[in-house]
Amino acid sequence: MADEYNIGLGNDDLETRKKAEFDFTSFWNDQAKQLSWFRPWTSTLDWKQPFAQWFVGGLINASYNALDIHQQTKATKPAILWEGENGESKVLTYKDLWIQVQKFANALKSLGVQKGDRITIYLPMVPELPISMLACSRIGATHTVVFSGFSSSSLKDRIDDSKSKIVITADGGYRRGSVVKLKEVVDDAIKDLDFVQNVIVLERTKNKIQLNSRDKLWNDLISESSEECEPEKLDSNHPLYILYTSGTTGKPKGVLHGTGGYLTHLHSTYKWAFDIKDSDIFFCTADIGWVTGHSYVVYGPLLHGATEVMYEGAPDFPDVSRMWDIIQKYKVTIFYTTPTALRMFMKYGDDLPNSFDLSTLRLLGTVGEPINPEVWKWYFKIIGKEKCPIIDTWWQTETGGMMISPLPGLETIPLKPGSATRPIPGVSISVVDEKGNDVAANTKGYLVIRKPWPGMLLTLWNDDEKYKNVYWSKYPNCYYSGDYAIKDEDGYLWLLGRADDVLKVAGHRIGTAELESSIVSHEDIAESAVCGVPDEIKGEKIIAFAVRKESSTKDIPTLRDEIIQKVRSGIGPIATPEQIYFVSKLPKTRSGKIMRRLLKAIASNEKIGDISTLEDGAAVSEVQSAFEELKKSIKKKQF
Ligand code: WTA
């Protein structure tokens, strides 16, 4: 254990872990008491595996806990320091946010929104995004935020699946200096969805848009609405939000989170992990369209009355020093970002960060993918100047909040570059083999969660069966995370990436099945398989293999462009394959399953390994020769 990474912040609460180990239910019971409830619960946990109900009988409201409780003491404290991509800025105090949320909640009510209705939010990173979410939670509507980089067909699937009666969007959003026409995407997505009653349009970029009969302008709506809106007293397990995420099947899954349990998990992890103090300036770079933004841009910081920076644009716009510039400008003390962003910053050398004043930083975090020890060390040395602990936080959309992480707000633990260290108190995690038995130290296995935890998903929206199958069928008594991990001799966990057919590209979850079905939607393509291969910056990049139909006569470059277009309009630009290899057969097992591992080995130029179960040995050499050929042609810059 290296002493050089033994950075503590002076917190050494030994009791918390002990209590959690003694009785995890009564431990979480105590944690939940730190929130404001309208009525206490009668039972801490009702566990009918695999369905958990936390704090049963309790009544609570998320927006009340994020805003109302701070009005006596922190009304004038900045909640959000917003930085636009073009350099403009806005400060919203806790009072400003409270009023705007109530106004917008009343606007939603005036459109007939009721408790339990679903609302899709398709907005860029502007303050109106958290305002919309908090307004929904205030009146008991379930929000479903869709990342504004998703295409109209992805958006349509999500609106349709959740049967949202309102969609909230903007005329446009800024991305790398240009305007993304979000309203047009929404119009296309809902053209056949008659159940969408209204589209609320925020004028962000003032680009020309067409207003249709169901459209309402944000400003018109709030100008008529009152500043007071009583928060609904909601059942602890009332659905707070649905967030769609990729899985191993073609259709994205609607992860459904409740209220009381989820907020308890966030309240606890936010203070333990970030050691949050009233004077801190917190900056999480995640887009709110992903779970990290829901939990640690919106709910976590606001529950604690923290001040945070929210940035609208791309991290490398207008250049790769933008994050350092923001840290210097706002005197950021806690910075939470992704390994992909760090790898990109590191590539540009030390001079850029060294030319900014980063001395206010006191704690650094990462999330979303494994962090390589070299990058961890660079982050520690160059950004943290060897004085900031680094918290590598492992969790998932489904877990709601952090599950494995160092917790400098609670205790000092010697850090090891690349390890997320230990599970948080009150959470029980193991690394197991195929049969579900714990593996020996330093042996690779599957990461499972043995007991329910408060932030866990309630179920998958409208699909309890799928929820059981995806997470609770591989092992009879525990939650299957889909990740590989190792526990070392000191009990430290090392996360090794996905064990299933899910890719992690620049930290974004992309399902292989979703991608393949988008590729085969091209009329010339009979079959397709995709895999992820290591990428220096993005962690993984997408490589696609496609089999053309006999009838296809198009030339390869045209076909490649058209397929890329299909993927971009079917899912979104984040799912664009880096390369597409055209082959006449895909390597499959005798039972017909595509051998993705083999494709991955071929595409990353590794040894192929055991091919004895392949359906047709010829296919391997064929793919191999196609690959060799392609490599040659790449050199000739044909692709
Ligand atoms: C991966 C993001 C290694 C993991 C919060 C998980 C990580 C998936 C880490 C969930 C980490 C997340 N180290 N891998 N610290 N954090 N992952 O749902 O594969 O977008 O299963 O949630 O990200 O991705 P999701």
Side-chain angles (χ1 to χ4, degrees):
M1 227 173 269
D3 277 346
E4 60 198 299
Y5 305 121
N6 194 353
I7 308 288
L9 295 175
N11 298 302
D12 264 313
D13 166 0
L14 301 173
E15 284 309 301
T16 299
R17 237 173 229 286
K18 262 198 224 146
K19 271 192 209 150
E21 271 154 32
F22 180 69
D23 179 349
F24 83 102
T25 331
S26 86
F27 170 75
W28 286 119
N29 187 69
D30 289 349
Q31 294 295 318
K33 287 182 187 156
Q34 297 176 28
L35 297 171
S36 294
W37 296 78
F38 301 118
R39 187 178 76 194
W41 53 97
T42 47
S43 153
T44 306
L45 171 64
D46 175 12
W47 178 227
K48 292 195 182 68
Q49 192 181 298
F51 300 98
Q53 299 270 293
W54 284 89
F55 314 116
V56 183
L59 293 180
I60 192 165
N61 183 288
S63 97
Y64 182 85
N65 274 276
L67 301 170
D68 300 51
I69 60 156
H70 307 307
Q71 296 309 316
Q72 292 298 324
T73 50
K74 296 182 176 174
T76 56
K77 180 177 175 176
I80 296 177
L81 305 169
W82 179 79
E83 166 93 357
E85 194 186 72
N86 55 9
E88 62 186 302
S89 57
K90 251 187 225 174
V91 178
L92 280 98
T93 64
Y94 271 91
K95 184 162 185 200
D96 297 334
L97 202 55
W98 186 52
I99 289 174
Q100 293 210 34
V101 165
Q102 294 185 81
K103 284 182 84 127
F104 192 62
N106 283 326
L108 290 175
K109 276 187 175 172
S110 74
L111 296 177
V113 176
Q114 291 175 357
K115 181 168 135 181
D117 286 344
R118 274 83 53 210
I119 309 277
T120 293
I121 306 174
Y122 186 68
L123 280 173
M125 284 287 282
V126 289
E128 286 79 1
L129 173 48
I131 289 170
S132 302
M133 294 161 76
L134 291 161
C136 288
S137 70
R138 194 158 191 91
I139 60 175
T142 300
H143 57 73
T144 166
V145 179
V146 179
F147 171 56
S148 61
F150 275 132
S151 69
S152 72
S153 100
S154 291
L155 177 63
K156 178 183 178 180
D157 289 346
R158 286 154 172 82
I159 298 171
D160 196 16
D161 191 70
S162 60
K163 293 283 175 295
S164 292
K165 72 179 195 197
I166 305 269
V167 179
I168 305 170
T169 191
D171 48 2
Y174 289 112
R175 192 74 185 168
R176 293 208 161 79
S178 47
V179 172
V180 184
K181 294 181 177 157
L182 300 175
K183 171 68 166 57
E184 284 180 12
V185 180
V186 171
D187 286 345
D188 190 39
I190 63 166
K191 58 179 187 285
D192 301 322
L193 304 180
D194 295 338
F195 56 84
V196 176
Q197 292 170 7
N198 292 109
V199 176
I200 301 177
V201 188
L202 174 79
E203 289 168 289
R204 164 70 190 123
T205 52
K206 304 268 181 351
N207 54 308
K208 229 175 133 213
I209 50 167
Q210 191 194 325
L211 282 180
N212 306 318
S213 57
R214 47 184 166 176
D215 299 342
K216 305 271 177 202
L217 290 177
W218 176 290
N219 279 341
D220 291 351
L221 280 175
I222 56 164
S223 68
E224 291 157 17
S225 72
S226 131
E227 288 185 0
E228 274 171 43
C229 175
E230 273 297 299
E232 283 282 329
K233 298 182 171 64
L234 301 166
D235 188 88
S236 172
N237 291 288
H238 183 77
L240 178 63
Y241 67 82
I242 306 171
L243 185 57
Y244 287 89
T245 186
S246 293
T248 48
T249 54
K251 209 171 141 258
K253 302 174 296 205
V255 170
L256 184 69
H257 279 291
T259 310
Y262 175 74
L263 296 180
T264 300
H265 195 121
L266 292 189
H267 189 272
S268 299
T269 52
Y270 190 73
K271 75 177 178 235
W272 295 333
F274 295 116
D275 183 45
I276 193 74
K277 303 272 190 280
D278 199 34
S279 53
D280 276 315
I281 308 287
F282 176 77
F283 180 23
C284 167
T285 64
D287 192 290
I288 294 174
W290 307 99
V291 75
T292 306
H294 279 61
S295 296
Y296 298 107
V297 176
V298 182
Y299 291 107
L302 299 179
L303 289 178
H304 283 273
T307 295
E308 65 176 327
V309 175
M310 176 179 171
Y311 171 57
E312 180 184 37
D316 54 351
F317 188 85
D319 63 48
V320 279
S321 67
R322 188 66 190 264
M323 295 294 111
W324 320 134
D325 189 38
I326 292 177
I327 292 172
Q328 174 178 278
K329 175 170 172 187
Y330 293 98
K331 302 187 172 16
V332 170
T333 59
I334 305 170
F335 182 57
Y336 191 35
T337 192
T338 61
T340 288
L342 293 170
R343 286 188 289 260
M344 176 180 75
F345 300 143
M346 187 174 149
K347 197 177 107 183
Y348 286 89
D350 304 348
D351 289 351
L352 270 184
N354 283 341
S355 65
F356 288 85
D357 180 4
L358 307 179
S359 63
T360 49
L361 289 172
R362 67 180 194 93
L363 207 159
L364 304 171
T366 85
V367 60
E369 352 149 35
I371 178 161
N372 0 11
E374 320 79 74
V375 180
W376 193 105
K377 288 179 193 161
W378 180 83
Y379 197 20
F380 184 76
K381 189 164 171 224
I382 304 300
I383 307 305
K385 315 288 181 215
E386 302 184 353
K387 66 178 174 61
C388 307
I390 293 188
I391 55 164
D392 172 4
T393 63
W394 180 89
W395 56 291
Q396 306 180 300
T397 305
E398 294 85 345
T399 69
M402 297 169 190
M403 299 295 274
I404 307 173
S405 173
L407 301 171
L410 189 68
E411 60 201 5
T412 299
I413 178 171
L415 302 171
K416 297 189 191 185
S419 166
T421 74
R422 293 189 288 176
I424 63 165
V427 154
S428 171
I429 285 182
S430 299
V431 181
V432 300
D433 61 17
E434 282 291 344
K435 293 200 176 108
N437 300 316
D438 281 34
V439 294
N442 294 318
T443 310
K444 183 171 168 179
Y446 300 101
L447 191 83
V448 297
I449 307 172
R450 293 207 179 272
K451 288 183 192 149
W453 66 98
M456 75 187 274
L457 67 170
L458 298 177
T459 185
L460 291 177
W461 176 251
N462 265 344
D463 208 341
D464 288 349
E465 274 315 300
K466 192 167 174 187
Y467 168 65
K468 286 187 207 163
N469 287 338
V470 174
Y471 306 105
W472 299 90
S473 64
K474 188 167 168 74
Y475 300 107
N477 289 315
C478 44
Y479 168 93
Y480 173 57
S481 70
D483 271 28
Y484 283 126
I486 279 179
K487 198 190 257 190
D488 72 11
E489 63 287 354
D490 297 318
Y492 280 47
L493 290 157
W494 300 76
L495 285 313
L496 305 176
R498 300 291 304 192
D500 57 8
D501 291 340
V502 170
L503 309 179
K504 266 279 177 172
V505 180
H508 302 320
R509 248 165 101 157
I510 297 168
T512 47
E514 233 175 299
L515 202 46
E516 286 157 5
S517 71
S518 174
I519 295 173
V520 296
S521 70
H522 189 290
E523 60 201 8
D524 280 27
I525 301 302
E527 224 184 340
S528 162
V530 300
C531 63
V533 301
D535 179 79
E536 211 188 315
I537 305 286
K538 292 193 275 185
E540 264 190 321
K541 63 182 173 197
I542 301 169
I543 305 293
F545 292 81
V547 179
R548 305 169 67 170
K549 286 184 185 159
E550 293 273 314
S551 54
S552 166
T553 51
K554 288 201 169 124
D555 62 277
I556 296 286
T558 310
L559 203 50
R560 175 171 288 108
D561 289 350
E562 288 180 4
I563 291 173
I564 286 177
Q565 225 18 67
K566 274 264 171 218
V567 171
R568 292 172 76 92
S569 63
I571 303 175
I574 52 164
T576 308
E578 297 276 320
Q579 277 163 17
I580 304 172
Y581 298 152
F582 292 94
V583 293
S584 61
K585 245 184 238 159
L586 292 171
K588 288 183 185 164
T589 62
R590 294 199 175 114
S591 62
K593 201 167 179 283
I594 292 167
M595 290 199 76
R596 227 176 284 279
R597 253 181 317 137
L598 176 121
L599 293 176
K600 197 173 173 138
I602 289 172
S604 47
N605 219 1
E606 286 167 2
K607 266 179 70 188
I608 294 175
D610 180 16
I611 53 166
S612 55
T613 54
L614 278 184
E615 190 184 48
D616 174 1
V620 182
S621 53
E622 201 179 354
V623 177
Q624 179 82 63
S625 63
F627 178 61
E628 297 301 335
E629 237 170 72
L630 276 158
K631 266 203 308 195
K632 273 186 225 145
S633 45
I634 291 165
K635 280 191 200 126
K636 284 190 220 147
K637 290 201 168 25
Q638 279 187 27
F639 297 99

Coordinates of all heavy atoms in Angstrom, one line a residue, residues 69-104:
I69 N -36.2 23.4 2.1 CA -35.5 23.3 3.4 C -34.3 24.3 3.6 O -33.8 24.6 4.7 CB -35.0 21.9 3.7 CG1 -34.0 21.5 2.6 CG2 -36.1 20.9 3.8 CD1 -33.0 20.4 3.1
H70 N -33.9 24.9 2.5 CA -32.7 25.8 2.5 C -33.2 27.3 2.6 O -32.3 28.2 2.7 CB -31.8 25.7 1.3 CG -31.4 24.3 1.1 ND1 -30.8 23.5 2.1 CD2 -31.4 23.4 0.0 CE1 -30.5 22.3 1.6 NE2 -30.9 22.2 0.4
Q71 N -34.5 27.5 2.5 CA -34.9 28.9 2.4 C -34.6 29.8 3.6 O -34.4 31.0 3.5 CB -36.4 29.0 1.9 CG -36.6 28.4 0.5 CD -35.7 29.0 -0.5 OE1 -35.4 30.2 -0.6 NE2 -35.2 28.1 -1.4
Q72 N -34.7 29.2 4.8 CA -34.4 29.9 6.0 C -32.9 30.4 6.1 O -32.6 31.4 6.5 CB -34.7 29.1 7.3 CG -36.2 28.8 7.4 CD -37.0 30.0 7.6 OE1 -36.6 31.0 8.3 NE2 -38.2 30.0 7.0
T73 N -32.0 29.4 5.7 CA -30.6 29.7 6.0 C -29.8 30.0 4.7 O -28.7 30.6 4.8 CB -30.0 28.4 6.6 OG1 -30.4 27.3 5.8 CG2 -30.5 28.2 8.0
K74 N -30.3 29.6 3.6 CA -29.4 29.7 2.4 C -30.1 30.4 1.2 O -29.7 30.2 0.0 CB -28.9 28.3 1.9 CG -28.1 27.6 3.0 CD -27.6 26.3 2.5 CE -26.6 25.7 3.5 NZ -26.2 24.4 3.2
A75 N -31.1 31.2 1.4 CA -31.9 31.7 0.3 C -31.0 32.5 -0.6 O -31.2 32.5 -1.9 CB -33.0 32.6 0.9
T76 N -30.0 33.2 -0.1 CA -29.2 34.1 -1.0 C -27.9 33.4 -1.5 O -27.1 33.9 -2.2 CB -28.8 35.4 -0.3 OG1 -28.1 35.0 0.9 CG2 -30.0 36.2 0.0
K77 N -27.7 32.1 -1.0 CA -26.5 31.4 -1.4 C -26.7 30.9 -2.9 O -27.7 30.4 -3.2 CB -26.3 30.2 -0.5 CG -25.1 29.3 -0.8 CD -24.9 28.2 0.2 CE -23.7 27.4 -0.4 NZ -23.3 26.3 0.5
P78 N -25.6 31.0 -3.7 CA -25.8 30.5 -5.0 C -25.9 29.0 -5.0 O -25.2 28.3 -4.3 CB -24.4 30.9 -5.7 CG -23.9 32.0 -4.9 CD -24.4 31.7 -3.5
A79 N -26.9 28.5 -5.8 CA -27.1 27.1 -5.9 C -26.4 26.7 -7.2 O -25.6 25.7 -7.2 CB -28.6 26.7 -6.0
I80 N -26.7 27.4 -8.3 CA -26.0 27.1 -9.6 C -25.3 28.2 -10.1 O -25.8 29.3 -10.3 CB -27.1 26.6 -10.6 CG1 -27.8 25.3 -10.1 CG2 -26.5 26.4 -12.0 CD1 -28.9 24.8 -11.0
L81 N -24.0 28.0 -10.4 CA -23.2 29.0 -11.1 C -23.1 28.4 -12.5 O -22.4 27.5 -12.8 CB -21.8 29.1 -10.5 CG -21.7 29.4 -9.0 CD1 -20.3 29.2 -8.5 CD2 -22.1 30.8 -8.8
W82 N -23.9 29.0 -13.4 CA -24.0 28.5 -14.7 C -23.1 29.1 -15.7 O -23.0 30.4 -15.8 CB -25.5 28.6 -15.2 CG -25.7 28.0 -16.6 CD1 -25.8 26.7 -16.9 CD2 -25.8 28.7 -17.8 NE1 -26.0 26.6 -18.3 CE2 -25.9 27.8 -18.9 CE3 -25.7 30.1 -18.1 CZ2 -26.1 28.2 -20.2 CZ3 -25.8 30.5 -19.5 CH2 -26.0 29.5 -20.5
E83 N -22.3 28.3 -16.5 CA -21.4 28.9 -17.5 C -21.8 28.4 -18.8 O -21.9 27.2 -19.1 CB -20.0 28.3 -17.1 CG -18.9 28.5 -18.2 CD -18.1 29.7 -18.1 OE1 -18.4 30.6 -17.2 OE2 -17.2 29.9 -18.9
G84 N -22.2 29.4 -19.7 CA -22.6 29.0 -21.0 C -21.4 28.6 -21.9 O -20.3 29.0 -21.6
E85 N -21.6 27.9 -23.0 CA -20.5 27.5 -23.8 C -19.8 28.7 -24.4 O -18.6 28.8 -24.5 CB -20.9 26.6 -24.9 CG -19.8 25.9 -25.6 CD -20.1 25.1 -26.8 OE1 -20.5 25.6 -27.8 OE2 -20.1 23.8 -26.7
N86 N -20.6 29.8 -24.7 CA -20.0 31.0 -25.3 C -19.5 32.0 -24.3 O -19.2 33.1 -24.6 CB -21.1 31.7 -26.2 CG -22.4 31.9 -25.4 OD1 -22.4 31.8 -24.2 ND2 -23.4 32.4 -26.1
G87 N -19.4 31.5 -23.0 CA -18.7 32.4 -22.0 C -19.7 33.2 -21.2 O -19.3 33.8 -20.2
E88 N -21.0 33.2 -21.6 CA -21.9 34.0 -20.7 C -22.1 33.2 -19.4 O -21.8 32.0 -19.3 CB -23.3 34.2 -21.4 CG -24.0 32.9 -21.7 CD -25.3 33.1 -22.6 OE1 -26.2 33.8 -22.1 OE2 -25.4 32.4 -23.6
S89 N -22.6 33.9 -18.4 CA -22.8 33.2 -17.1 C -24.0 33.7 -16.4 O -24.5 34.8 -16.7 CB -21.6 33.3 -16.2 OG -21.3 34.7 -16.0
K90 N -24.5 32.9 -15.5 CA -25.7 33.2 -14.7 C -25.6 32.6 -13.3 O -25.0 31.5 -13.2 CB -26.9 32.5 -15.4 CG -27.9 33.3 -16.1 CD -29.1 32.4 -16.5 CE -29.5 32.7 -17.9 NZ -30.5 31.8 -18.4
V91 N -26.1 33.3 -12.3 CA -26.1 32.8 -11.0 C -27.5 32.6 -10.5 O -28.3 33.5 -10.6 CB -25.3 33.7 -10.0 CG1 -25.4 33.2 -8.6 CG2 -23.9 34.0 -10.4
L92 N -27.8 31.4 -10.1 CA -29.2 31.2 -9.5 C -29.0 30.9 -8.0 O -28.4 29.9 -7.7 CB -29.9 30.0 -10.2 CG -30.5 30.3 -11.5 CD1 -29.5 29.9 -12.6 CD2 -31.8 29.6 -11.7
T93 N -29.6 31.7 -7.2 CA -29.5 31.4 -5.7 C -30.5 30.3 -5.4 O -31.4 30.0 -6.2 CB -29.8 32.7 -4.9 OG1 -31.2 33.0 -5.2 CG2 -28.9 33.8 -5.3
Y94 N -30.5 29.9 -4.1 CA -31.5 28.9 -3.7 C -32.9 29.5 -3.8 O -33.8 28.8 -4.1 CB -31.2 28.3 -2.3 CG -30.3 27.1 -2.5 CD1 -28.9 27.2 -2.5 CD2 -30.8 25.9 -2.7 CE1 -28.1 26.1 -2.7 CE2 -30.0 24.7 -2.9 CZ -28.7 24.9 -2.9 OH -27.9 23.8 -3.2
K95 N -33.0 30.8 -3.6 CA -34.3 31.4 -3.7 C -34.8 31.5 -5.1 O -35.9 31.2 -5.5 CB -34.3 32.8 -3.0 CG -35.7 33.4 -3.0 CD -35.8 34.6 -2.1 CE -37.3 35.0 -2.1 NZ -37.4 36.4 -1.5
D96 N -33.8 31.9 -6.0 CA -34.2 32.0 -7.4 C -34.7 30.7 -7.9 O -35.7 30.6 -8.6 CB -33.0 32.4 -8.3 CG -32.4 33.7 -8.0 OD1 -33.2 34.6 -7.5 OD2 -31.2 33.9 -8.2
L97 N -33.9 29.6 -7.6 CA -34.3 28.3 -8.1 C -35.6 27.9 -7.5 O -36.5 27.3 -8.3 CB -33.2 27.3 -7.6 CG -33.0 26.0 -8.4 CD1 -32.8 26.3 -9.9 CD2 -31.8 25.3 -7.8
W98 N -35.9 28.1 -6.3 CA -37.1 27.8 -5.6 C -38.3 28.4 -6.3 O -39.3 27.8 -6.6 CB -37.0 28.2 -4.2 CG -38.1 27.9 -3.2 CD1 -38.5 26.6 -3.0 CD2 -38.8 28.7 -2.3 NE1 -39.5 26.6 -2.0 CE2 -39.6 27.9 -1.6 CE3 -38.7 30.1 -2.1 CZ2 -40.5 28.5 -0.6 CZ3 -39.5 30.6 -1.1 CH2 -40.4 29.8 -0.3
I99 N -38.2 29.7 -6.6 CA -39.3 30.4 -7.3 C -39.5 29.9 -8.7 O -40.6 29.7 -9.1 CB -39.0 32.0 -7.2 CG1 -39.2 32.4 -5.8 CG2 -39.9 32.7 -8.1 CD1 -38.8 33.9 -5.5
Q100 N -38.4 29.8 -9.4 CA -38.6 29.3 -10.8 C -39.2 27.9 -10.9 O -39.9 27.6 -11.8 CB -37.2 29.4 -11.5 CG -36.7 30.8 -11.6 CD -35.8 31.0 -12.9 OE1 -36.0 30.3 -13.9 NE2 -34.8 31.8 -12.8
V101 N -38.8 27.1 -9.9 CA -39.3 25.7 -9.9 C -40.8 25.8 -9.6 O -41.6 25.1 -10.3 CB -38.6 24.8 -8.9 CG1 -39.4 23.6 -8.6 CG2 -37.2 24.5 -9.4
Q102 N -41.2 26.6 -8.7 CA -42.7 26.7 -8.4 C -43.5 27.3 -9.5 O -44.5 26.8 -9.9 CB -42.9 27.5 -7.1 CG -42.2 26.9 -5.9 CD -42.5 27.6 -4.6 OE1 -43.6 27.5 -4.1 NE2 -41.6 28.4 -4.2
K103 N -42.9 28.3 -10.2 CA -43.6 28.9 -11.3 C -43.8 27.8 -12.4 O -44.8 27.7 -13.0 CB -42.8 30.1 -11.9 CG -42.9 31.3 -11.1 CD -42.1 32.5 -11.7 CE -43.0 33.2 -12.7 NZ -43.1 34.6 -12.6
F104 N -42.7 27.1 -12.7 CA -42.8 26.1 -13.8 C -43.7 25.0 -13.4 O -44.4 24.4 -14.2 CB -41.4 25.7 -14.2 CG -41.5 24.9 -15.5 CD1 -41.9 25.5 -16.7 CD2 -41.1 23.6 -15.6 CE1 -42.0 24.8 -17.9 CE2 -41.2 22.9 -16.7 CZ -41.6 23.5 -17.9

